[in-house]
Amino acid sequence: MSAQLIHGKPLADSILDRLRAEIEQEGLRPGLAVVLVGDDPASAVYVRNKKRACERAAIASFSHELPASTTQGELLALIARLNADPAVHGILVQSPLPALIDFEAVIEAIDPRKDVDGFHPYNLGRLAAKLPTLRACTPYGVMRMLEHAGIDPSGRDAVVVGASTIVGRPMALELLLARATVTVCHSRTRDLASKVAGADIVVAAVGKPGFVKGEWIKPGATVIDVGINRGADGKLCGDVEFDVASQRAAWITPVPGGVGPMTIAMLMQNTVQAARAARR
Ligand code: NDP
């Protein structure tokens, strides 16, 4: 492998430790409500990791574990209570939600000041308007990783593969804000290989193991793999064909231990930011 790895875990841990120190110094008592509906095993793991991060950063976590039979009305009633609770500065609703609940309706019901995932149209709009407030955690974490590795996107050609509301779109907006020239690819994109081959920075957020082929990567490029998939061997893997890509790239993120821990660290960062804003 010739690429250097951009590890997310140690960077995430250092952010959590710094948040803890800042919270203690400022006498802040940030609180995060973590809402889990149903019994999806992957979601349970994510929620557990988020609660652990709360402990490390000294953020209070309030757990709401609801059965899969929960109705949209019941969930919206809980959101209304959390919106009104002064001890709660951030509200996290773990996706996926059961099929009968409209995820967008739930996100829009969250007070944008408590939308620490950064998914509310208000916060996405603020990012689009070059006024980022609570920023979507995964793209925010990716930007922190680039900064940490000393990679300035300004003037670079960036390709984002994936255009979802929670990753691909806000990722493109973050890169644009950092003055990259951004191409966003999705399932209707033609000749994806040539788009990726032109990129100085590639961000893959598709949700398909090894989907971005290593031979597409421009030599010396930076490759950020957001994907978290279960491979045929049962192990976690990303969206990028890591073995080949890491021979060509200058920088690459591993899966696991790359973007995942940074997403959680940015959730904590946003919760502290929301708590500070509430105190003003
Ligand atoms: P979605 O399924 O919501 O979006 C996938 C995107 O990939 C869509 O925009 C889709 O296009 C695009 N896509 C699908 N097929 C193709 C194709 N053949 N060519 C080009 N683009 C394609 O997924 P998410 O954005 O929620 O998640 C993506 C991955 O990131 C998943 O593995 C998920 O687990 C992971 N993830 C990781 C996080 C982390 O912290 N590391 C956080 C969040 C997600 P279209 O819009 O046209 O449908």
Side-chain angles (χ1 to χ4, degrees):
M1 187 175 89
S2 61
Q4 293 195 63
L5 289 172
I6 312 176
H7 289 290
K9 183 79 173 81
L11 181 56
D13 285 347
S14 73
I15 290 169
L16 297 179
D17 293 345
R18 185 178 45 72
L19 287 174
R20 184 186 192 102
E22 288 174 6
I23 289 166
E24 279 166 10
Q25 206 196 357
E26 295 170 37
L28 207 60
R29 296 180 63 82
L32 175 67
V34 180
V35 181
L36 176 64
V37 187
D39 41 24
D40 178 56
S43 295
V45 173
Y46 292 140
V47 162
R48 200 166 57 229
N49 289 341
K50 287 168 188 175
K51 285 189 201 153
R52 276 203 196 117
C54 280
E55 277 166 31
R56 184 158 184 156
I59 292 171
S61 70
F62 309 106
S63 196
H64 296 269
E65 296 186 5
L66 309 177
S69 58
T70 302
T71 64
Q72 183 163 320
E74 286 164 342
L75 184 53
L76 290 175
L78 172 62
I79 300 292
R81 286 202 301 279
L82 297 174
N83 280 342
D85 185 342
V88 171
H89 303 100
I91 302 170
L92 160 86
V93 179
Q94 183 64 46
S95 66
L97 289 173
L100 291 177
I101 300 182
D102 177 356
F103 183 68
E104 276 77 27
V106 173
I107 295 302
E108 286 208 48
I110 296 174
D111 182 333
R113 292 168 297 187
K114 298 191 178 189
D115 166 44
V116 286
D117 257 332
F119 295 163
H120 192 289
Y122 173 81
N123 284 312
L124 291 170
R126 296 281 300 184
L127 181 60
K130 301 196 280 186
L131 298 165
T133 308
L134 289 171
R135 307 161 85 137
C137 299
T138 300
Y140 192 14
V142 169
M143 298 312 286
R144 293 289 289 268
M145 294 174 90
L146 292 175
E147 188 188 357
H148 181 73
I151 298 157
D152 180 1
S154 177
R156 310 272 182 106
D157 290 322
V159 169
V160 181
V161 189
S164 71
T165 313
I166 65 169
V167 189
R169 278 164 205 260
M171 186 72 250
L173 292 170
E174 285 283 358
L175 287 162
L176 192 56
L177 191 65
R179 314 294 313 274
T181 302
V182 185
T183 304
V184 187
C185 302
H186 45 78
S187 63
R188 303 292 171 91
T189 296
R190 293 187 200 153
D191 196 6
L192 181 63
S194 75
K195 306 272 187 311
V196 171
D200 303 309
I201 299 170
V202 182
V203 181
V206 185
K208 295 182 179 171
F211 177 77
V212 172
K213 300 299 167 215
E215 65 187 25
W216 299 351
I217 303 298
K218 176 157 117 179
T222 297
V223 179
I224 307 289
D225 194 346
V226 175
I228 302 179
N229 310 294
R230 195 64 69 186
D233 57 2
K235 290 188 186 154
L236 284 185
C237 65
D239 286 345
V240 177
E241 196 186 25
F242 183 88
D243 290 350
V244 186
S246 59
Q247 297 297 330
R248 297 169 67 87
W251 295 93
I252 193 165
T253 61
V255 179
V259 177
M262 284 300 289
T263 296
I264 297 178
M266 292 302 100
L267 180 71
M268 301 301 133
Q269 167 90 52
N270 279 347
T271 304
V272 173
Q273 185 180 321
R276 282 189 186 124
R279 195 155 77 162
R280 269 185 229 124

